[in-house]
Amino acid sequence: MSDRVIIFDTTLRDGEQALSASLSFKEKLRIAKALESLGVDVMEVGFPVSSHGDFESVQMIAREIKNSTVCGLARSVQKDIDAAYEALSVCDNYRIHCFIATSDVHVKDKLHRDFDAIVEMAVNAVKYARNKAPDVEFSCEDAGRTPIDHLCRIVEATIDAGARTINIPDTVGYTLPFEFGGIIEQLFNRVPNIDKARISVHCHNDLGMATANSLSAVAKGARQIECTVNGIGERAGNCSMEEVVMAIKTRNRLLNLETGINCTEITRTSQLVSQLCNMPIAPNKAIVGANAFSHSSGIHQDGVLKNRDTYEIVTPESVGLKENTMNLTARSGRHIIAHRLEALGYSSDSYDLDNVYKRFKELADIKGQVFDYDLEALLFFSNLHEEPEQFSLEYLSVMSGAGDVIPTASIRMSSGGEHLTGADVGNGPVDAMYRTIYRLTGYDISLKKYEIKAKGQGMDALGQVSIIVEYKGRVFHGMGLATDIIQASALAMIHACNAIYRSELIEAKKSRISADAGAEE
């Protein structure tokens, strides 16, 4: 039977304190609710004594959360513990988390005390907190750089004082995995009352070791990992929740460990935190990055098509994604082209793969990424990138502002030589403009992704707008480039509409071919 590792999430404390702008009460509550649905055992939601706002948000979350332990941080002084107790005691299941620095550099240069005084402060704080709460955690700040004799002494003393969780932080991300695992191992070997407390770890990522250090610690007996969603936090961040959870799940037979996390909620929670915290996720981020389940190499695509286990140790479905992504690029091989065409309904005897693949490579060198509708067009148009556009923008006027101004767009565009003119309103200037384009083209389009990037610097920088839209169950890409981002947005949508128009032509041609074949039979 696997041992249970407690997941202690500190996104709303260590993660939030590193943001450029504080979260609102509603945003914090949304994240707390998501963490509860995710199944975290403990959520550290703030530092109540630090500000009136932090106190109120901790209290608000404590009232709302029912299925996770709610925790507040406190220095090893009575006023901090009192504030934490007052904020948290509105709920039944709460924890007070006391801490004090224990490394020589912190004790001497920051606290200006000797270690005997530090131990006394820690013991008094834990005893005082135990009078306020049955669940008390104690942290030895900068434990990774604390002399092991000092660390063993303070851990033993605070367990005797009543702490039931002892946290060993690598506060500055200094240790390497074998070192940090060794610290945990020595605590289990040298502290006589270690069996009376759960050992926790809180690792920072300054050297990129946070996940590895945390896993080394649980391999040596620690049974709580403190982490954050997407690894956000001070400096280079904290141990990433999704990484340790999926590592434990994926390597369960080796580690013989498990967590209580509902892994299918990982992607949704990750995206929520990224959005509310205004911290984009790197495409190559493990587990939750946009490229985590994308395959571009021809060799990898071939392997995955034959057996997903060849290049996927974690399935996208296990973390809440629908499927992996096969990116069609210049690195893709013939097998993925044939696979995609088969999925689109084309039998292998209806086209010359060598010819299609040659033109695909030419197009991929121009576009970078090729979409399904591009691939279909290769079957029918010999020079896709030279194909004339059906729609083009001739005139654009957008009105927007604050107060009672209703965002309005007026557009004139050409369609195969015909001039189309229209106007519409929307929630904003881009929405009004897109509604107008939908009306003029007659396409029932759903916008799935909208992204702006600056190309260049200063006043003359170009705005590049990239969009993903859905039309009749199929996905299309559009891109626009202009110094005016509203114009760039319009050009991106018209680009997508032209792709839709070409796909409609292809469907019509396919229907005619099928009809002709049926008549011959």
Side-chain angles (χ1 to χ4, degrees):
M1 184 176 179
S2 297
D3 279 351
R4 174 73 176 269
V5 175
I6 300 301
I7 297 299
F8 177 113
D9 184 274
T10 185
T11 300
L12 288 170
R13 200 280 299 170
D14 200 326
E16 199 264 349
Q17 74 186 28
L19 302 181
S20 56
S22 296
L23 297 169
S24 69
F25 285 6
K26 287 185 178 179
E27 289 170 334
K28 289 181 180 181
L29 185 57
R30 282 185 68 188
I31 291 174
K33 289 284 191 179
L35 294 173
E36 185 178 35
S37 297
L38 185 64
V40 302
D41 300 284
V42 185
M43 61 175 78
E44 187 174 55
V45 298
F47 192 178
V49 80
S50 64
S51 70
H52 181 68
D54 218 32
F55 178 93
E56 288 191 334
S57 68
V58 170
Q59 192 171 68
M60 172 192 63
I61 293 170
R63 286 194 178 101
E64 295 289 332
I65 298 301
K66 307 301 180 186
N67 299 317
S68 301
T69 298
V70 181
C71 178
L73 187 67
R75 293 168 300 183
S76 292
V77 294
Q78 288 190 9
K79 70 173 184 176
D80 285 34
I81 296 167
D82 288 338
Y85 170 72
E86 188 177 349
L88 293 166
S89 59
V90 296
C91 69
D92 296 329
N93 192 17
Y94 65 95
R95 175 184 294 184
I96 296 176
H97 181 188
C98 307
F99 75 96
I100 197 168
T102 55
S103 67
D104 288 347
V105 65
H106 279 253
V107 170
K108 295 175 182 177
D109 297 336
K110 186 179 78 173
L111 301 177
H112 303 293
R113 297 173 184 268
D114 59 29
F115 195 72
D116 289 341
I118 297 301
V119 173
E120 183 179 0
M121 288 178 66
V123 167
N124 290 339
V126 171
K127 288 180 177 178
Y128 187 75
R130 276 303 303 268
N131 289 328
K132 303 282 186 180
D135 188 357
V136 174
E137 176 174 339
F138 176 75
S139 280
C140 313
E141 185 185 5
D142 203 21
R145 295 190 294 174
T146 299
I148 191 63
D149 290 344
H150 283 179
L151 193 59
C152 290
R153 177 184 168 192
I154 199 166
V155 167
E156 181 180 359
T158 49
I159 293 174
D160 278 342
R164 290 298 167 258
T165 301
I166 300 293
N167 185 39
I168 308 300
D170 186 20
T171 305
V172 292
Y174 178 71
T175 63
L176 300 179
F178 73 91
E179 285 182 292
F180 196 65
I183 291 171
I184 302 303
E185 186 174 34
Q186 288 199 65
L187 290 175
F188 276 97
N189 289 336
R190 295 179 55 180
V191 176
N193 58 356
I194 196 79
D195 59 315
K196 296 180 180 178
R198 178 184 291 111
I199 298 301
S200 171
V201 291
H202 178 120
C203 298
H204 280 259
N205 207 39
D206 297 71
L207 296 178
M209 302 290 172
T211 296
N213 281 341
S214 299
L215 292 171
S216 293
V218 295
K220 296 297 184 179
R223 286 297 176 265
Q224 176 175 288
I225 295 176
E226 305 196 0
C227 48
T228 62
V229 175
N230 300 337
I232 67 173
E234 287 284 352
R235 303 180 311 280
N238 289 56
C239 174
S240 169
M241 178 278 299
E242 57 277 2
E243 291 177 12
V244 290
V245 166
M246 291 310 296
I248 289 171
K249 180 178 180 179
T250 304
R251 304 307 307 275
N252 171 266
R253 299 176 81 177
L254 175 66
L255 296 171
N256 198 29
L257 300 171
E258 63 181 9
T259 72
I261 294 297
N262 177 8
C263 295
T264 58
E265 289 290 310
I266 284 177
T267 296
R268 187 181 70 85
T269 308
S270 167
Q271 291 173 348
L272 176 69
V273 169
S274 173
Q275 178 185 4
L276 295 182
C277 295
N278 192 29
M279 293 192 72
I281 302 168
N284 63 329
K285 171 74 171 65
I287 310 299
V288 293
N291 293 345
F293 300 101
S294 294
H295 304 279
S296 297
S297 162
I299 294 172
H300 287 215
Q301 290 173 342
D302 182 47
V304 171
L305 290 176
K306 293 172 180 174
N307 182 346
R308 290 174 66 170
D309 288 345
T310 55
Y311 288 102
E312 284 186 358
I313 61 169
V314 175
T315 66
E317 294 86 356
S318 68
V319 295
L321 281 173
K322 291 183 179 179
E323 58 186 11
N324 57 23
T325 302
M326 296 292 189
N327 293 327
L328 300 180
T329 70
R331 296 180 298 278
S332 298
R334 286 176 172 79
H335 42 269
I336 190 63
I337 304 305
H339 173 78
R340 289 308 307 151
L341 287 173
E342 181 182 358
L344 291 169
Y346 298 94
S347 61
S348 59
D349 59 0
S350 66
Y351 61 88
D352 181 344
L353 180 58
D354 289 338
N355 186 32
V356 171
Y357 185 66
K358 177 183 177 183
R359 286 186 280 131
F360 162 78
K361 295 282 283 186
E362 293 172 355
L363 182 62
D365 285 336
I366 295 169
K367 288 192 66 175
Q369 185 171 353
V370 176
F371 291 79
D372 284 349
Y373 59 86
D374 293 320
L375 201 57
E376 280 192 303
L378 288 173
L379 297 180
F380 295 92
F381 302 127
S382 60
N383 293 300
L384 175 63
H385 56 278
E386 296 176 3
E387 189 67 19
E389 304 288 9
Q390 173 69 11
F391 304 107
S392 62
L393 182 66
E394 294 183 341
Y395 171 83
L396 169 65
S397 175
V398 175
M399 180 179 69
S400 185
D404 296 330
V405 176
I406 299 175
T408 306
S410 300
I411 292 176
R412 184 175 71 243
M413 55 193 293
S414 67
S415 174
E418 179 185 358
H419 297 288
L420 307 176
T421 303
D424 211 328
V425 298
N427 296 325
V430 174
D431 183 48
M433 180 175 59
Y434 282 177
R435 287 174 183 268
T436 307
I437 293 174
Y438 302 159
R439 176 180 295 181
L440 293 176
T441 60
Y443 293 150
D444 183 15
I445 292 173
S446 175
L447 180 65
K448 296 300 182 183
K449 183 178 180 181
Y450 176 91
E451 184 178 53
I452 300 176
K453 293 182 180 178
K455 293 293 184 179
Q457 297 180 345
M459 297 294 290
D460 296 325
L462 291 173
Q464 177 181 300
V465 174
S466 296
I467 61 172
I468 299 292
V469 303
E470 185 176 309
Y471 175 73
K472 292 184 177 180
R474 299 185 62 186
V475 172
F476 297 86
H477 171 255
M479 189 181 76
L481 191 67
T483 53
D484 184 325
I485 61 170
I486 300 297
Q487 181 184 353
S489 300
L491 293 173
M493 183 56 72
I494 290 173
H495 183 199
C497 288
N498 279 310
I500 292 171
Y501 176 80
R502 281 193 294 268
S503 74
E504 297 274 81
L505 287 182
I506 293 167
E507 289 299 319
K509 190 168 183 179
K510 285 168 63 179
S511 297
R512 288 196 301 271
I513 293 172
S514 297
D516 292 343
E520 289 176 3
E521 291 178 1

